Amino acid sequence: MGGFGGDRRERLARALDEADAVVIGAGAGLSTAAGLTYAGPRFEAFFGDFIERYRFADMYSGGFHPFGSFEERWAYWSRYIWCNRYVKAPGTAYDDLLSLVGGKDYFVLTTNVDHQFQLVGFDRRRLFYTQGDYGLLQCSQPCHKRTYDNEPPVRDMIEAQGWQISASGALTLPAGTRPAMDVPAELVPHCPVCGRPMAMNLRSDDTFVEDEGWHAAAARYQDFLRRHQRGRVLYLELGVGWNTPVIVKFPFWQAVEKNPRATYACVNLGEAVAPSAIERRSVLVDADIASALRALLAS
């Protein structure tokens, strides 16, 4: 079933062209294809000092380390947030996707928390970030159901470590300097209501805050699905794995099975599958997402 040969490319291009609406389901594989890697040179460039001290293998696992102080924890997390949320991915996968669907009636459902859709120009009212946003803070308790934009405090923490931020958001260090591995105590974020430490607005347990913005996006997504439940809809799944299939993958399969005019497309290197009930209306692309999107643009 692998590859993105002529037949599959033509079928997916035709489904995209003929669709009245496109529902995009995006997982971590899309951001990886766009170059948001959590290990290797990118990780080493921003976290070399933490790698040296703690032997972290990658950015993600380092985020679970029990740092000895909030000042050190936020030095790590401010860099983590900045390079994954406020800097556009180096690859073109998100740009190419927007070029493919920008003229369509589309909606994006994503488990990604890196904000890359908005950074390339997707309409924010057509996005539903189900699992949170690296750009938001919440009370760690939480004592109330509100989230807070973290760009100003994160910027302050980055600069307090010695990093310089360019107009594009890129981080650089003055020649011959090493960044600090903690931030001043007064920059550690605390809840404005109860004074407890703030936490990231990421779904990891039952403390995750679904604020007004989250519920508004959920309502817009459900309204979009209702309006198109009987139309020619392309359910385009990109880079969704098996960690949380109940959010994107299984609902897409169910929606296509219920609507005989719908098509399911899955682009995922090594994991492009569909149930037998919708196999004839599925386009399974076992290929690199960035390459597949670029090929579609050239079709």
Side-chain angles (χ1 to χ4, degrees):
M1 301 294 286
F4 196 34
D7 178 61
R8 283 186 175 80
R9 186 185 307 178
E10 290 175 8
R11 288 179 61 205
L12 184 49
R14 184 168 61 251
L16 183 61
D17 181 63
E18 295 177 351
D20 299 319
V22 180
V23 185
I24 299 166
L30 176 59
S31 287
T32 300
L36 283 183
T37 53
Y38 281 52
R42 185 169 176 268
F43 174 48
E44 294 161 5
F46 299 122
F47 297 91
D49 47 356
F50 282 95
I51 296 170
E52 182 181 343
R53 177 178 291 183
Y54 295 113
R55 300 292 187 263
F56 290 157
D58 59 75
M59 201 183 309
Y60 181 76
S61 60
F64 293 96
H65 182 76
F67 293 105
S69 69
F70 284 115
E71 289 83 359
E72 187 183 27
R73 180 178 186 272
W74 280 105
Y76 186 87
W77 269 97
S78 60
R79 299 185 206 178
Y80 192 118
I81 294 165
W82 191 268
C83 67
N84 292 308
R85 167 63 171 76
Y86 293 109
V87 179
K88 184 177 176 292
T92 64
Y94 280 94
D95 305 83
D96 293 343
L97 179 59
L98 180 58
S99 296
L100 286 168
V101 305
K104 290 284 186 178
D105 192 5
Y106 71 83
F107 208 103
V108 176
L109 172 70
T110 182
T111 55
N112 295 344
V113 295
D114 51 34
H115 208 67
Q116 292 297 315
F117 283 102
Q118 281 182 249
L119 289 179
V120 302
F122 277 80
D123 183 352
R124 62 181 297 273
R125 293 185 59 81
R126 293 173 176 267
L127 302 173
F128 180 24
Y129 291 92
T130 64
Q131 305 298 78
D133 185 342
Y134 280 147
L136 297 176
L137 297 177
Q138 65 169 71
C139 176
S140 57
Q141 178 65 14
C143 70
H144 63 298
K145 296 291 186 179
R146 182 181 172 186
T147 60
Y148 299 85
D149 174 27
N150 68 20
E151 193 274 340
V154 168
R155 177 181 287 271
D156 289 344
M157 286 187 269
I158 290 288
E159 292 177 339
Q161 294 172 68
W163 295 91
Q164 295 177 342
I165 304 174
S166 72
S168 67
L171 300 183
T172 58
L173 285 170
T177 65
R178 286 175 61 89
M181 294 181 67
D182 53 21
V183 301
E186 62 270 20
L187 294 184
V188 173
H190 291 83
C191 176
V193 176
C194 72
R196 291 184 176 88
M198 296 288 266
M200 296 297 299
N201 180 231
L202 304 176
R203 191 189 299 277
S204 58
D205 54 33
D206 60 4
T207 64
F208 177 69
V209 169
E210 297 177 354
D211 64 3
E212 290 183 4
W214 189 97
H215 285 286
R220 288 193 296 269
Y221 177 61
Q222 291 302 320
D223 179 65
F224 186 90
L225 295 180
R226 282 193 296 270
R227 287 189 287 109
H228 295 290
Q229 61 184 336
R230 294 184 179 86
R232 291 179 299 182
V233 183
L234 172 62
Y235 288 84
L236 179 58
E237 181 188 303
L238 302 169
V240 176
W242 293 95
N243 286 337
T244 53
V246 296
I247 295 176
V248 175
K249 190 178 295 289
F250 293 169
F252 275 25
W253 291 354
Q254 293 164 359
V256 173
E257 187 171 1
K258 291 178 182 177
N259 178 6
R261 303 179 71 196
T263 299
Y264 170 70
C266 176
V267 185
N268 201 344
L269 186 62
E271 296 188 45
V273 298
S276 59
I278 62 170
E279 186 174 5
R280 292 189 176 183
R281 289 185 288 120
S282 298
V283 184
L284 305 180
V285 181
D286 182 356
D288 171 70
I289 296 171
S291 299
L293 294 175
R294 181 54 55 92
L296 278 175
L297 275 178
S299 296

